[in-house]
Each structure stands twice: as structure tokens, then as C-alpha cells.
Amino acid sequence: MAAETGTPTTLTLKSNDDELFSVAESAAILSVTIRNMVEDGCAGGVIPLDNVDGKTLASVITYMNGISAIPADEEKKKSYRDKFLSDKDFETLADMVLAANYLNMSCLMDAVSAKIAQVMEKKSVGWVRRKFGIENDYTPEEEAAVKEEHKWTFEGVETDDDN
Amino acid sequence: METKPSISDHQPRIIRYPAPAETYLEDHIEEILSRLPVKSLLRFRCVSKSWRALISSKRFIKAHLEHSRKDTTNFTRHVIVSTSTPPGGIRLKHCSLPPLFCGLVADSSDVDFPITNRVGSVCIRGNCNGLVCVVIDKKHIYLWNPSTRKFKEMPHADADVDSNSDDTTKAIIGFGFDESNEDYKVLAVFNVGRDETNVKIYSLRTNSWKIIDVFKDGLTLSETGTLKGSDSRGWDIVSLDVGSEVCGTVAQPSYVESDLAPWFGLFGGCLCVFYHHPKIGVDVWVLKEYGVTESWTKMAGRPEFKPLCIGPKGEILVVYGQGFLIYSPKDYRFRLIVMRNACPFLEADVRYESLVSAFLLS
């Protein structure tokens, strides 16, 4: 365990593509995974995060710094999260779900899941298949039958622009 | 790969870390989908067979319901109102909640109520877990999920009740979910004469009515989980546990007594009671946690305000006459809201979306 000193402790995190990041311990321990490592005294050197790439980790660290700077005010934290996620594309959000899961950050996980749901809301079935990498295992007849059951849910669907 | 310890040289404390096994977006699909509106979910049944199986599964329906219930953004909540449309018909309209809280004018749209051959009258008699209990033409009772557009007509309640009570308008209808038996139940109290009532309860699971031996007086009722009523003698609040079908009383807040009978409402799924003091005003008490007397909370109220639900920033949607207003308890300000094409309305209710079906049980 790092000695208790007056100066804030900094941790070094390493992404799976070997990028190094410095982050204040107080912000990094929003991740339960990192907090456990710190509590177990494993944070002396570099903390390797094998499942997070540099681009995503940079984003997560921005979030950690941003949210930990906000005092205990759930409304403000929520509006920070909304703003933080507002300009992220689907691929980035997908990477962040995996990172939030690996780092065990439930608030981020909730917010990103909700954001992905919001992005998906009016999308077509084809868009969802492409973005989630899902193979259509229906025969054309089966698919038509499933569609027929709730035909009205296909009204007002956005045309695919793949964004 | 960085120095990853092999199993053999793991120290015990390291077991606390999550296994760095690769996870895929697929592993989080349930987490994401349970936050989607019902319309999108029904469409995404077409994505693949496994998505259809997931979206139809009991576990997922429950998880989705939990999200809808707790959702503080009101993303999947709707106001549903009945309006009278000349000549003589009554129509249901709905409007999603966020626009009501955000602006001054919100558009309403016709509810695609599937029973089109009978439109004489439509009464909303409570909602629970996304299912709405509606009474058509005063005697046909339906359990209806407006989000999935599926509905089920219940057998007639009055078949073996006294002949003078065959009109459901004379009955007080309450609708609730019986958690212990995972069943939906409808309570009908028929006033068959002075000081005489017939009480019947319908179970969705058995799809039948039965007479129960409770409440011998005239009652007024409202909904959710346990049904609550008002006993006309001495202003007791009486309740019926829809699980055990046993009645009881609800301890009241320390309200100031009045000669007038209190009346009831639901506010954000909680029982609320209005104690009216002529020329002084009305005290509105909300039972925040059912069964916990200490959780009675007094709200600022006015006799003509009927609180309906709470918004994301603590504002309260209030029924005012035949329209709505948004009341902010922080600064006591209120503003009128116009729900276009739906004012004036006869009755209003707030429901949230769910995939719950009136067919799953029976």
C-alpha cells in the first residue's frame, strides 16, 4: 500500500496496445478493479489493463477525471455523463461498455448501456445486425412471419446511414 | 502480453480480480436491450432467433419491467387520458411524459385501442406493470398492454351477482399485481343496496371470478399491489392484500380531522390521501412506502390539484380541472401545460411501458 502522504498519489495505467497513462489514484479508484489492485498493494508499478485499448482508456480516464471533480451531486454527475457520452459514436460506445465491464464501473456501465439503447431506438433490424455483428439465422419466410406479428413497429424507423 | 501470473503462482488475494477473459458486446446485450422502448424491442425480435428468444423470455420481461419502473428520466412513461369526442364517443389519447415536463405544449396522439367495434365509453380503471384495466361500454373489462397492443377481455363479472348490479359503472373496480402468486387480479365491489356489497375478485391465472367475503360497506378504491379503499364509517383506510385476499387497515398520518371524507389518489405508484378542510385548503399525504406509517409525507397541496407523477427534476405533474399543470415544490411555481387534442379530458393516468402480456399466465 502506498504510504499516506499529503501529495496525491498518481497511478500509471497501461493499455493493451502499450500506451501509458498517468491518473490520480482518487479518480482511478472509481474502477473497482483498480481499487482492488491498489488495496492489495499491486499499484506500485504499472497497472496493466489487458482488455482495454489506448483510445478507449484515454476516454475512460477523461471520464474518471471529470466525474471525480464533481462533488456529491447526483444531478450534476448525471448531466456530466450525458454530455460526456453525447458525441460518442456506436463503436466507441461499444468499446466503452466492454471497458466499463472489465474495470467494474457500474455507473459508467449503466450510462453507456442507456446511451446505446437511445442510439438504437429508431434503427432498422439491418443496422442492428451489422453493428452487433449478428448473423440472420431466419429463413426469409420465418423473418416475414415474425415481422408480420408486429408490423406497426416498423413504422418510423430511420433510414440507415450507418452512423 | 505483460507478465500475467500463471495459475500456479497466483497469490490468494489476486482471486478478487475479474478474470481477464475477453468479453464481447454480445455478453451485454441484455443489459442494453432492457433499456429500450417496447416498440423497438418488438421490432428487434426480427434480428435473430436468439434475440427473439431473449426478448420473449420471462427473465428479460422482468428485467425490462424493473428498468421501466425505476426510470427517472420518464423515457418510457406515458400519460393516458380519456376524452369525449362528439358525437357521444369517448377516445383514449396518450402522450409521452418527457415533452410534458419540458415544454408548454405537447402533442397527444390517438391510442391504437384495438377494440374498435365498441366505442360508446372507455373508462381507465387503474394500471399496473404496464397493463391497463379498461372498462368498455360500462361492462366489458379488458386488460390491455398499450405498448404491445395486446389485450384480453375478461369474462363478465356480474353473471351471478344480483340482477340489479349488472352495470359495471355501479361497481368499483381495482386492479393490482399479486406478487406472491405472480398473478394479476381485478377487484370489483358491487353496491347492491344500502350497507350491502358483493365483492368479487378476478384472477388472470385462472381467468375466472370468485366471490370473496370482505368489505361489507360502500368503498372507494384505488390501485397497485395491494388495493386500498376507504371505509365510509370513521374514515378508516382499508386495504385488501390481493395475494392472500385478506383485508386490513392502513394506519393514517397524523392529519387534522375534518368533517369531510378524505379522498384518494395515486402519486408515482404510492397511495395518496387528500384531507379537505373547507375554506382552509387541502392536505395531501403520500405513503412513500406501503406498510410503513412513518413514511407518510405531507405535500403542499391545493384542493383542485391532483398530483399524478414526479418529473426528473422533482417537478410534479398535476391534474388541474380538465387539464394539466407542472408544479415545482422548490419555489411553489406552476405552469399550465397544454396536451394538444386532448384537453379537456375526463380522466388521466400515468403508465410505463412493459412487455408484460395478459396471455402469459393463463
Side-chain angles (χ1 to χ4, degrees), chain A residues 14 121 129 138 149 153 155, chain B residues 2 40 43 45-47:
Chain A
K14 185 176 163 192
E121 186 192 344
R129 284 192 194 123
Y138 285 116
E149 288 171 33
T153 63
E155 293 160 12
Chain B
E2 199 50 41
S40 312
R43 183 167 69 250
R45 284 157 39 95
C46 274
V47 167

Side-chain angles (χ1 to χ4, degrees), chain A residues 38-60:
Chain A
V38 171
E39 282 172 1
D40 286 350
C42 304
V46 173
I47 299 181
L49 300 171
D50 296 338
N51 279 3
V52 190
D53 65 35
K55 181 173 161 268
T56 310
L57 188 55
S59 214
V60 171

Side-chain angles (χ1 to χ4, degrees), chain A residues 14 33 36-37 39-40 42 48 50-51 78 90 94 97-98 101-102 109-110 113-114 116-117 120-125 128-129 132 134-138 142-143 146-147 149-150 152-155 157, chain B residues 1-2 4 13-14 16-26 28-29 31-33 35-40 42-52 73 75 146-150 312-313 330:
Chain A
K14 185 176 163 192
T33 307
N36 287 344
M37 291 186 186
E39 282 172 1
D40 286 350
C42 304
D50 296 338
N51 279 3
K78 193 191 166 300
F90 182 86
V97 161
L98 302 183
N101 177 63
Y102 173 68
M109 184 81 186
D110 280 352
S113 301
I116 293 178
M120 287 169 74
E121 186 192 344
K122 292 196 164 65
K123 299 295 186 200
S124 72
V125 167
V128 170
R129 284 192 194 123
F132 283 84
I134 294 165
E135 202 186 321
N136 178 12
D137 55 359
Y138 285 116
E142 285 171 338
E143 188 178 343
V146 177
K147 186 173 175 177
E149 288 171 33
H150 300 283
W152 57 275
T153 63
F154 290 80
E155 293 160 12
V157 173
Chain B
M1 190 70 92
E2 199 50 41
K4 209 168 73 182
R13 60 186 183 181
I14 292 177
R16 285 171 58 191
Y17 307 146
E22 195 121 351
T23 62
Y24 300 93
L25 196 51
E26 244 180 275
H28 304 289
I29 278 175
E31 189 71 25
I32 295 164
L33 295 191
R35 291 169 162 85
L36 273 170
V38 168
K39 185 180 175 184
S40 312
L42 294 179
R43 183 167 69 250
F44 295 155
R45 284 157 39 95
C46 274
V47 167
S48 70
K49 288 178 180 172
S50 65
W51 275 43
R52 186 181 59 165
T73 63
F75 187 48
S147 306
T148 61
R149 303 191 180 180
K150 296 265 198 270
K313 292 186 179 121
K330 280 181 198 156

